[in-house]
Amino acid sequence: MTTAAVAFLSLRQIHHTLHIAPIAFELSKREGFRVALYTSHLAAVRYLHELGAHYPGHRCAIEMLRPARWQSLFNVKRRVYPRPKAVLRHNAGTLMAFDAIVSSDFYTLTLLDMRRGTTPLFIKTPHGAGAGAYGFKDGLSRYDLLLGPGEYFRERLEQLGIGDRSKVQVIGYPKLEIAEKIHRHGHKLFDDQRPVIVYNPHFKDRLSSWPQWGRQVLDYFFNSSRYNLVFAPHINLFSRRRKRNQIPSRYLDAPNILVDYGSTASVDMTYTRNADLYLGDVSSQVLEFISHPRPCVFLNAHALDWQDDPDYASWRLGRVVDRIDDLDTALASALSGSDPYRSVQVDVLRRRFAGPNDTASSRAADTIALFLEEAAHQRQRAPTGSSSVASDASNVPKTSASENV
């Protein structure tokens, strides 16, 4: 039986944890696997322990990796988490001793650049299920195994000529699974019966509706007697605290506006599961919203000719507003009753998320386990002198930069 040590990395803010932690918890239940789940800030450590309670029997070690001390002292941008590449470089000795490294982000390419030979193996899991260019970087071709949420992921890679089809395995969307376990469906967000709109702008200015139209959107709902608004932007939009001062207090105090800069509720689908309409631009959270099909409105604040651009495929899921003055009409039309986009949403769901959702992390864990076992067998059949993929998990070293929390 293969004995393997696997490191899962979640080195950004807490929004990545729901994509990767369920897989780590499930793999740790498999005999012969030692699993460590690494993060780099205390808020994520606490959150990971909370999430682990939904996977009883898991044996995943939740540990914290710190950057070099001088990098912490000179964190001039006051990030809520240290730069992932700095953490990886400082802890490379610990991480490169694992048999496999699993991440939902591209920062592990930093470690892949350090690999000499064929170990550790690098595995990329989904982070979102959107169509945007960020999720389909050329760097995907360098990973040894790609886990995709649905057939669309495989199809898009083939269209772009990225990677080897044999490296791709479709496993579903673990975040939908753990969101169900959290039991927030049916959570009442406001005390009245007005429709609830969740506004979820992206954090990158060139993609986001926030710089051009964000204040006008907030003004619209501030002056509205028809709707409630949850303003829950991508967690990175206000990741630096000084940016939060850009939001005037009148919005924060309005009884029909809930502002969430980045709590666990903003990432665990509390809002996307319980709102009546999604308002946004290019965030892949819209795919999570339509896991229960409902009306969507998209803000074309950059006057894009988007119809034939695959990066904006999600805009086919609802109405697109080309002028902010048309927002009122678009919302009223979308919530009027029958939704002409429902059949489109159902078809997109079928291709984006491979079901059933409640076993996605288990399927991912089985896929990783089988992949590592097959790799170990190939090593054993290799000529004498070749190194084995699967090392003795008990020999994985710890350094002073790694702290078991």
Side-chain angles (χ1 to χ4, degrees), residues 62-82:
I62 298 172
E63 303 185 7
M64 197 158 103
L65 296 178
R66 301 186 187 280
R69 182 170 175 78
W70 69 267
Q71 289 169 327
S72 298
L73 292 175
F74 293 96
N75 182 13
V76 294
K77 292 185 177 180
R78 295 290 178 250
R79 300 173 186 270
V80 297
Y81 60 93

Side-chain angles (χ1 to χ4, degrees), residues 235-250:
I235 195 170
N236 284 339
L237 182 59
F238 294 101
S239 60
R240 295 168 191 166
R241 294 186 182 278
R242 67 177 179 270
K243 285 190 173 183
R244 298 180 182 182
N245 296 328
Q246 298 173 0
I247 305 297
S249 60
R250 67 178 181 274

